Amino acid sequence: MGLVSCSRLQNEKWMNVKVGDIIKLENNQFVAADLLLLSSSEPHGLCYIETAELDGETNLKVRHALSVTSELGADISRLAEFDGIVVCEAPNNKLDKFTGVLSWKGSKHSLNNEKIILRGCVLRNTSWCFGMVIFAGPDTKLMQNSGKTKFKRTSIDRLMNTLVLWIFGFLICLGIILAIGNSIWENQVGDQFRTFLFWNEGEKNSVFSGFLTFWSYIIILNTVVPISLYVSVEVIRLGHSYFINWDRKMYYSGKATPAQARTTTLNEELGQIEYVFSDKTGTLTENIMTFKKCSINGRIYGEVHDVLGQKTDMTKKKEAVGVSVNPQADRTFQFFDHHLMESIKMGDPKVHEFLRLLALCHTVMSEENSAGELIYQVQSPDEGALVTAAKNLGFIFKSRTPETITIEELGTLVTYQLLAFLDFNNFRKRMSVIVRNPEGQIKLYSKGADTILFERLHPSNEDLLTLTSDHLSEFAGEGLRTLAIAYRDLDDKYFKEWHKMLEDANAAVDERDERIAGLYEEIERDLMLLGATAVEDKLQEGVIETVTSLSLANIKIWVLTGDKQETAINIGYACNMLTDDMHDVFIIAGNTAVEVREELRKAKENLFGQNRSFSNGHVVFEKKQPLELDSVVEETVTGDYALIINGHSLAHALENDVKNDLLELACMCKTVVCCRVTPLQKAQVVELVKKHRNAVTLAIGDGANDVSMIKSAHIGVGISGQEGLQAVLASDYAFAQFRYLQRLLLVHGRWSYFRMCKFLRYFFYKNFAFTLVHFWFGFFCGFSAQTVYDQWFITLFNIVYTSLPVLAMGIFDQDVNDQNSMDCPQLYKPGQLNLLFNKHKFFICMAHGIYTSLVLFFIPYGAFYNVAGEDGQHIADYQSFAVTMATSLVIVVSVQIALDTSYWTIINHVFVWGSIATYFSILFTMHSNGLFGIFPRQFPFVGNARHSLTQKCIWLVILLTTVASVMPVVAFRFLKVDLFPTLSDQKRLSLHKVAHCVEFISSGCFLSLWVSFVSRSASGRRLKRRQDPCVGESLRPGDQAREDLDMLLLTKRAMESLSHLEKICELKIHPRHQGWKRHCIIALAGLKIYVRKPQTQ
């Protein structure tokens, strides 16, 4: 980076840049600080930047220097002498706004965002530029935006934290019980051991002994607190994230874009979603805009009629307008109504003015490629569609500078002087340009939302307004995006006065935005209506199927869009969110809080009144207890209702005294559509549901206006569409098409939740079974804090012997495969109801672990009581007892995880059975003479494993312990599946039945009988016909052929059915059973020959 210093240019590091420095940037360099652009290599002080690091948008944006500073050029001496003073706003994080004034050479010049290059941008297509540092270091807007990110946690995370605290309390209770036991034991029994242990009278206090025992047992029993649980959970989540990244069925080949899990902490919450908040444009639709229709001066263009004058669909058989006569026309442009071209050729002034406005009123930048073709850099697909339409119809936008716009009108280059640009924002919902044409006339051209622009029309437009409004309703009914088009002729004197006030407002420091907005409002009035445009944005592939599937999974979809109501409703019907079978569709369109509240009240009365009238059981009304403050009435209506509310009504509905009514009604509806909403309102709706419904929410969008909604929801999903990557950068998960949401939730989300819950249940069970054996042993060892296991076993149990099997189950397990998860969305509901892991399930796991620990301790203890081994020696020693219990524990927990595993892979087999093998290999190694000889103090159990595990009675004890631990679980699960099967159990059972059917069919017996039956039936009928005296010579070969053809088709259908069964069950016929296929082929071939040549058979 070059820094101008002492009339020369020198290289400097970023860290040394400070406010007021003038630096030089070259093409493809990153900007080191927030700069005021002074000059550049391009004409008129223009430069092009890429802001992907700031907002994710890869399209180039233009910045231009003040005309007074662009004259400085690359003259280092003049730049070094630059002594302008900038008075500007304080450092802030607003990337799209800058307010300041440059004072230089006795004059003031207003500064805005178009004059500033922010840190993080990259200079593109510009050889060099110079700028003065406005903000540096932490004051830059990029660094101001790098604040603390809100960390999202799942409900399972919060529950785990609670349970760990409970377990810690449980550990303290165990320690207290054992400490009290030790004090009692020391007081009553311990005195008898003082002489043996060489203690003096009164040397050891029983209370102090209990105190020391408490801390000893806290250390011994600490394994009940699952410290390693958090590490294991993160490993499992990482594996689930990789599965999402590697899923080829979520890979979009059109853009070579795979799915991306941008976080590893929320995977299981994908299986608990209840509400989905979706943007429309670019999310449900492609956001690839196509100019379809327009209304100019009360006439619709874009409809194609047949010879009878009836409307017909536009087909590619007709030649698109402008392709044959305009060499610069876009070949992909599809507009087939040639009446518009005829009006252009006839010189219709309204049509010309309409197209002229489209070519002038925009923010598009143009450049030529190597082939000399015009390439448009657009910030919005809508603008690109309109400018491209004007280009194909003869009004070609060529270039722009800070002071001019050049277009080609029907072959003639015309340059307009750009006097003012009134930019678009979410509040204005319109944009305007003021230009002076070559004849000296000043024109204001404006386009924007019809509801906004129609309020600013001259009264003389009343008739045209009515006609155009009807056309807009027709366009919106077809799902097209509409804009109104208007203009105004300005008086030269009036404009000069207005422009002087605008310059003063721009130079102001206080209330600058309010003054500018007021001036914009003043000049954008008394407009003359020209017409309207209609742009098509098609639904993405698979949207209908995805919406239907998510609805079956009991997921409610709310659409939050900035489009007008008619367009949103039409898209709702196209997506099957809205249907004609719905009981009612409530439309809230009040203009005041009182009207909105009244409309909400009437909608609820209407809904409840209809529910009472239904007696067929399809609608259920449940009213729960009255709620406290800041909550909503928990009323659930099962029925098909929809709510549609527009932006200005939503603003009132989100007020404190009305929002509960809104939420109460909305949550009882199957579909909610919010139209004309701002980005802030999107976030407010999400927060409303998130706060009051206690439900897991997901927001999905593709543009910068969806970022606040994505960040507000529990889970944010970004679609890498046509509006850059800002939504993706703010999201937790990202992919290229809305249809992938179905697989993300119903497959990956459900699997992640299922696996995590099963992992947690087993992990808690294993820890309780392992640790509580020490507790029971304490009652038999004088509460002396003696461990029941070998120290090495305690160390290796969670790390080596049982860590990998549970990880394999948590990463790979599945109750049904991905296709069945997609085909049966109802399987998703247990996650929404949080059925698989909750406090109740935790206490069941705890009870299971306690029972297992009792069996593990008392069966070996009872079996070893006064028992001699096969050699007649006593085997009830501590070390043999410890080895027997440790071996029983490893086998029991391994059998238990084998029972818990629903889906076996080679990894599961290796980890489960390999863990048992590893245990025995380590056991014999640590109890070997050689290791004891090297480390006698660390491995005191020398020879014990070899001695104990060669005794048959030891193995009988291990077997009895395993059976007693596992059989109740097996019996309980068998009865539960048989008497109270879940939907998942039913699905697996049906699949097993189909699999057995396929195995029977593929076994060869069934198909041998079938082929034999086909052959005998065919030959038998032919023989019968030949022997029938009533038929004689009248029998025709064709009759025989038809009957045998029926048999042929029957056999063929059987084979097709079998292939289908193989496919849906994901089974392969064993090679030894493949012979039936050859028999079928031979039989079919024979029948085909017979049918083809019946006269020879």
Side-chain angles (χ1 to χ4, degrees):
M1 181 189 65
L3 175 68
V4 176
S5 177
C6 301
S7 299
R8 62 188 180 86
L9 197 64
Q10 63 183 31
N11 290 326
E12 192 58 81
K13 294 181 178 180
W14 283 26
M15 59 183 295
N16 298 324
V17 172
K18 58 183 182 295
V19 175
D21 287 344
I22 295 177
I23 61 177
K24 178 183 180 181
L25 296 174
E26 295 182 349
N27 193 32
N28 297 326
Q29 275 190 345
F30 275 91
V31 182
D34 293 350
L35 306 178
L36 167 64
L37 180 62
L38 297 179
S39 61
S40 75
S41 59
E42 301 300 303
H44 309 286
L46 293 177
C47 77
Y48 300 94
I49 59 172
E50 180 185 286
T51 59
E53 294 292 329
L54 297 178
D55 55 19
E57 298 182 8
T58 55
N59 55 294
L60 298 184
K61 296 178 176 61
V62 65
R63 295 291 183 264
H64 50 84
L66 293 167
S67 55
V68 293
T69 61
S70 62
E71 298 172 356
L72 297 174
D75 191 334
I76 302 299
S77 59
R78 294 180 63 189
L79 287 166
E81 295 171 358
F82 179 76
D83 58 353
I85 299 174
V86 174
V87 179
C88 66
E89 61 188 14
N92 58 72
N93 61 358
K94 297 178 181 179
L95 297 175
D96 57 347
K97 182 181 177 182
F98 180 82
T99 303
V101 176
L102 170 66
S103 301
W104 190 43
K105 293 184 177 179
S107 59
K108 294 184 177 182
H109 309 275
S110 64
L111 304 177
N112 55 29
N113 207 47
E114 302 300 316
K115 311 291 190 301
I116 303 298
I117 305 177
L118 299 181
R119 176 179 177 175
C121 297
V122 181
L123 192 67
R124 302 290 191 194
N125 297 352
T126 307
S127 299
W128 53 263
C129 74
F130 286 88
M132 184 176 73
V133 177
I134 301 294
F135 298 126
D139 292 337
T140 58
K141 291 182 180 286
L142 176 66
M143 298 302 293
Q144 290 285 314
N145 274 281
S146 61
K148 294 182 179 180
T149 301
K150 183 179 179 181
F151 184 66
K152 296 182 179 181
R153 300 189 69 88
T154 67
S155 58
I156 287 183
D157 271 335
R158 294 189 290 271
L159 178 60
M160 279 169 47
N161 293 338
T162 302
L163 295 181
V164 168
L165 291 177
W166 287 5
I167 292 172
F168 188 75
F170 179 68
L171 170 63
I172 293 176
C173 292
L174 294 180
I176 292 173
I177 293 172
L178 293 170
I180 293 173
N182 177 265
S183 296
I184 295 173
W185 188 89
E186 284 290 342
N187 188 46
Q188 297 181 357
V189 183
D191 291 341
Q192 303 173 16
F193 290 86
R194 288 201 179 102
T195 303
F196 174 74
L197 296 175
F198 305 104
W199 293 345
N200 297 323
E201 186 70 28
E203 187 173 306
K204 187 169 184 180
N205 184 276
S206 61
V207 175
F208 182 68
S209 175
F211 175 76
L212 295 178
T213 301
F214 170 80
W215 292 110
S216 299
Y217 271 112
I218 290 294
I219 296 171
I220 291 173
L221 300 175
N222 78 87
T223 52
V224 77
V225 181
I227 303 301
S228 62
L229 173 66
Y230 291 94
V231 178
S232 302
V233 164
E234 292 305 319
V235 172
I236 291 173
R237 285 173 172 168
L238 182 63
H240 296 169
S241 298
Y242 276 114
F243 288 154
I244 294 173
N245 295 341
W246 293 339
D247 192 342
R248 293 185 179 181
K249 294 182 180 179
M250 295 175 67
Y251 176 79
Y252 183 54
S253 57
K255 287 188 173 181
T257 306
Q260 184 180 9
R262 295 172 50 81
T263 179
T264 60
T265 59
L266 303 174
N267 294 328
E268 63 270 16
E269 199 147 65
L270 287 171
Q272 299 179 278
I273 302 298
E274 293 184 54
Y275 290 88
V276 169
F277 300 91
S278 174
D279 180 37
K280 182 188 78 68
T281 305
T283 304
L284 299 176
T285 60
E286 294 180 347
N287 202 16
I288 300 176
M289 307 301 178
T290 306
F291 185 81
K292 285 295 181 182
K293 294 183 180 182
C294 60
S295 171
I296 305 177
N297 199 28
R299 179 179 177 181
I300 293 180
Y301 295 95
E303 295 176 345
V304 179
H305 299 80
D306 57 19
V307 292
L308 299 178
Q310 300 294 323
K311 287 185 187 179
T312 61
D313 292 334
M314 290 179 284
T315 63
K316 295 184 179 180
K317 294 180 181 179
K318 301 179 70 69
E319 186 179 25
V321 170
V323 172
S324 59
V325 297
N326 186 357
Q328 300 186 58
D330 188 347
R331 300 293 168 179
T332 62
F333 182 67
Q334 300 291 322
F335 191 83
F336 301 96
D337 188 356
H338 289 265
H339 293 101
L340 180 56
M341 205 66 196
E342 293 173 2
S343 298
I344 296 173
K345 291 178 180 178
M346 292 173 60
D348 187 329
K350 294 292 184 181
V351 174
H352 282 205
E353 194 76 348
F354 181 92
L355 296 174
R356 187 176 294 115
L357 186 150
L358 297 185
L360 291 171
C361 186
H362 55 76
T363 59
V364 176
M365 297 299 299
S366 65
E367 59 182 6
E368 290 190 358
N369 60 14
S370 57
E373 298 175 349
L374 272 178
I375 304 297
Y376 290 146
Q377 295 282 351
V378 300
Q379 296 185 23
S380 161
D382 298 82
E383 279 196 337
L386 297 179
V387 175
T388 301
K391 171 185 173 183
N392 281 268
L393 295 170
F395 285 72
I396 306 171
F397 166 65
K398 301 291 287 187
S399 63
R400 74 190 311 146
T401 69
E403 287 85 19
T404 63
I405 299 177
T406 301
I407 65 174
E408 182 180 322
E409 299 182 1
L410 302 176
T412 304
L413 279 178
V414 182
T415 299
Y416 291 83
Q417 183 182 355
L418 180 60
L419 303 177
F421 179 79
L422 287 59
D423 58 341
F424 174 91
N425 61 41
N426 288 324
F427 300 100
R428 285 170 37 78
K429 294 185 178 180
R430 65 189 183 276
M431 67 174 296
S432 303
V433 294
I434 302 176
V435 296
R436 189 192 302 271
N437 62 21
E439 290 77 27
Q441 298 174 323
I442 299 178
K443 297 265 190 178
L444 181 145
Y445 293 115
S446 185
K447 67 179 182 184
D450 54 288
T451 54
I452 302 297
L453 226 56
F454 286 173
E455 297 174 353
R456 291 162 175 76
L457 295 179
H458 192 274
S460 62
N461 290 267
E462 185 174 348
D463 294 337
L464 181 57
L465 172 60
T466 303
L467 195 56
T468 305
S469 296
D470 293 338
H471 293 168
L472 285 169
S473 299
E474 180 182 337
F475 296 158
E478 298 174 11
L480 304 178
R481 295 165 58 88
T482 58
L483 287 176
I485 304 295
Y487 75 101
R488 179 185 179 187
D489 291 318
L490 297 177
D491 179 69
D492 199 345
K493 180 180 179 182
Y494 168 75
F495 173 75
K496 288 181 179 179
E497 294 175 353
W498 178 86
H499 195 261
K500 179 65 170 62
M501 291 188 290
L502 181 64
E503 288 179 343
D504 294 340
N506 282 325
V509 177
D510 299 328
E511 298 183 350
R512 173 180 175 178
D513 292 339
E514 291 78 6
R515 292 175 61 181
I516 292 175
L519 290 171
Y520 284 1
E521 289 285 339
E522 178 186 337
I523 202 169
E524 289 176 325
R525 58 182 175 83
D526 294 335
L527 301 175
M528 302 301 295
L529 183 62
L530 280 173
T533 62
V535 176
E536 182 183 38
D537 188 9
K538 291 183 179 180
L539 280 179
Q540 291 183 12
E541 180 185 351
V543 167
I544 297 175
E545 294 80 1
T546 300
V547 169
T548 303
S549 184
L550 295 182
S551 298
L552 291 174
N554 199 33
I555 297 175
K556 293 186 177 182
I557 302 178
W558 292 21
V559 178
L560 311 178
T561 177
D563 279 341
K564 64 186 303 180
Q565 181 174 300
E566 292 82 359
T567 303
I569 291 175
N570 184 269
I571 293 296
Y573 278 105
C575 297
N576 282 348
M577 294 182 190
L578 303 175
T579 63
D580 294 329
D581 296 332
M582 283 186 164
H583 298 148
D584 206 347
V585 177
F586 306 116
I587 298 179
I588 309 299
N591 293 313
T592 64
V594 176
E595 292 177 1
V596 171
R597 186 186 293 107
E598 183 64 20
E599 290 180 2
L600 291 172
R601 184 187 63 80
K602 288 182 178 179
K604 287 196 294 183
E605 288 180 355
N606 186 23
L607 186 146
F608 294 145
Q610 291 188 30
N611 282 333
R612 295 189 188 101
S613 67
F614 288 124
S615 58
N616 55 9
H618 291 295
V619 180
V620 178
F621 172 58
E622 300 175 357
K623 188 167 182 177
K624 299 188 179 178
Q625 308 248 344
L627 293 166
E628 300 175 357
L629 191 61
D630 293 333
S631 60
V632 295
V633 179
E634 291 289 341
E635 292 170 328
T636 303
V637 175
T638 304
D640 291 340
Y641 296 90
L643 173 66
I644 297 170
I645 183 170
N646 55 38
H648 60 267
S649 299
L650 184 62
H652 298 298
L654 290 173
E655 295 177 0
N656 288 330
D657 55 341
V658 188
K659 64 182 180 182
N660 287 347
D661 295 327
L662 168 67
L663 185 62
E664 184 180 344
L665 176 63
C667 291
M668 291 184 288
C669 294
K670 179 181 178 181
T671 299
V672 177
V673 179
C674 301
C675 321
R676 298 293 196 190
V677 293
T678 64
L680 178 60
Q681 287 177 329
K682 291 183 179 184
Q684 289 174 335
V685 171
V686 175
E687 287 288 352
L688 182 66
V689 175
K690 181 180 174 181
K691 179 179 178 181
H692 294 286
R693 293 297 296 178
N694 195 25
V696 182
T697 59
L698 180 146
I700 179 170
D702 74 314
N705 60 333
D706 302 316
V707 168
S708 56
M709 173 178 71
I710 287 172
K711 288 185 174 181
S712 297
H714 290 96
I715 294 178
V717 177
I719 291 184
S720 51
Q722 306 295 322
E723 296 187 17
L725 298 176
Q726 193 161 350
V728 171
L729 296 176
S731 67
D732 304 305
Y733 299 89
F735 41 72
Q737 295 279 287
F738 180 82
R739 67 178 184 269
Y740 299 144
L741 181 65
Q742 178 184 4
R743 187 168 179 84
L744 181 69
L745 299 186
L746 301 188
V747 177
H748 293 288
R750 201 185 73 83
W751 276 353
S752 295
Y753 176 72
F754 170 78
R755 292 162 175 166
M756 186 61 69
C757 292
K758 184 176 281 192
F759 162 80
L760 292 173
R761 294 200 302 266
Y762 177 80
F763 200 96
F764 285 120
Y765 153 77
K766 174 175 66 75
N767 272 24
F768 280 109
F770 166 58
T771 306
L772 291 183
V773 173
H774 293 294
F775 179 76
W776 311 124
F777 185 59
F779 291 89
F780 296 89
C781 69
F783 305 96
S784 60
Q786 170 70 41
T787 59
V788 72
Y789 305 119
D790 173 18
Q791 294 296 327
W792 285 103
F793 178 81
I794 296 174
T795 304
L796 298 176
F797 178 75
N798 278 322
I799 299 175
V800 177
Y801 300 149
T802 60
S803 61
L804 294 181
V806 69
L807 284 178
M809 183 181 70
I811 294 175
F812 298 107
D813 201 36
Q814 51 183 264
D815 52 349
V816 295
N817 60 30
D818 58 339
Q819 189 58 49
N820 288 315
S821 297
M822 299 275 282
D823 293 341
C824 188
Q826 293 83 357
L827 291 170
Y828 189 80
K829 293 181 182 178
Q832 296 171 324
L833 301 175
N834 201 23
L835 297 179
L836 300 186
F837 186 75
N838 47 45
K839 294 174 182 177
H840 175 69
K841 293 288 185 184
F842 168 74
F843 285 116
I844 292 177
C845 298
M846 184 177 177
H848 185 195
I850 294 173
Y851 167 76
T852 302
S853 68
L854 284 167
V855 172
L856 284 170
F857 177 78
F858 283 102
I859 288 182
Y861 183 83
F864 276 37
Y865 194 77
N866 291 332
V867 173
E870 296 175 9
D871 54 2
Q873 295 182 1
H874 192 67
I875 63 171
D877 62 282
Y878 164 70
Q879 292 188 352
S880 299
F881 182 64
V883 169
T884 303
M885 275 202 301
T887 306
S888 300
L889 176 63
V890 171
I891 293 177
V892 166
V893 297
S894 298
V895 172
Q896 183 64 48
I897 200 169
L899 292 174
D900 287 345
T901 302
S902 304
Y903 181 76
W904 285 88
T905 66
I906 186 64
I907 297 177
N908 293 85
H909 281 292
V910 170
F911 284 176
V912 172
W913 314 125
S915 294
I916 297 177
T918 301
Y919 163 73
F920 282 109
S921 62
I922 293 177
L923 178 68
F924 283 105
T925 301
M926 289 193 302
H927 291 193
S928 64
N929 296 333
L931 206 57
F932 174 76
I934 302 174
F935 306 104
R937 292 178 177 271
Q938 284 73 27
F939 300 97
F941 281 39
V942 57
N944 186 268
R946 184 172 62 255
H947 174 264
S948 299
L949 297 182
T950 55
Q951 305 276 343
K952 294 179 181 178
C953 60
I954 297 293
W955 284 106
L956 288 174
V957 170
I958 293 172
L959 177 62
L960 179 60
T961 304
T962 304
V963 171
S965 299
V966 172
M967 283 309 296
V969 177
V970 174
F972 174 78
R973 292 185 181 180
F974 172 79
L975 293 174
K976 182 175 180 294
V977 171
D978 190 54
L979 300 177
F980 307 102
T982 64
L983 183 60
S984 177
D985 295 331
Q986 296 172 15
K987 189 73 175 176
R988 287 201 304 271
L989 183 61
S990 63
L991 290 174
H992 286 316
K993 288 180 178 179
V994 175
H996 289 317
C997 179
V998 171
E999 185 64 26
F1000 168 67
I1001 293 174
S1002 64
S1003 64
C1005 300
F1006 174 81
L1007 288 163
S1008 298
L1009 291 172
W1010 177 256
V1011 174
S1012 176
F1013 166 74
V1014 171
S1015 303
R1016 287 200 302 270
S1017 298
S1019 60
R1021 282 202 307 274
R1022 289 196 294 272
L1023 180 61
K1024 183 178 179 180
R1025 282 186 175 277
R1026 289 169 183 162
Q1027 294 175 350
D1028 191 346
C1030 299
V1031 176
E1033 295 298 325
S1034 63
L1035 183 65
R1036 292 174 298 176
D1039 297 331
Q1040 299 172 6
R1042 276 191 294 273
E1043 291 192 12
D1044 291 322
L1045 179 60
D1046 293 339
M1047 196 62 65
L1048 165 68
L1049 296 176
L1050 189 60
T1051 304
K1052 183 179 179 182
R1053 287 171 186 162
M1055 294 180 65
E1056 290 174 348
S1057 299
L1058 180 60
S1059 299
H1060 179 64
L1061 286 173
E1062 287 184 67
K1063 181 178 179 181
I1064 64 173
C1065 296
E1066 294 188 345
L1067 295 176
K1068 297 297 182 184
I1069 306 302
H1070 196 277
R1072 69 173 181 269
H1073 297 147
Q1074 295 290 339
W1076 67 269
K1077 291 187 176 180
R1078 294 193 296 274
H1079 295 304
C1080 281
I1081 293 170
I1082 293 171
L1084 287 170
L1087 287 171
K1088 287 180 180 179
I1089 295 171
Y1090 173 71
V1091 172
R1092 192 179 300 116
K1093 299 179 180 179
Q1095 67 278 9
T1096 63
Q1097 301 298 319

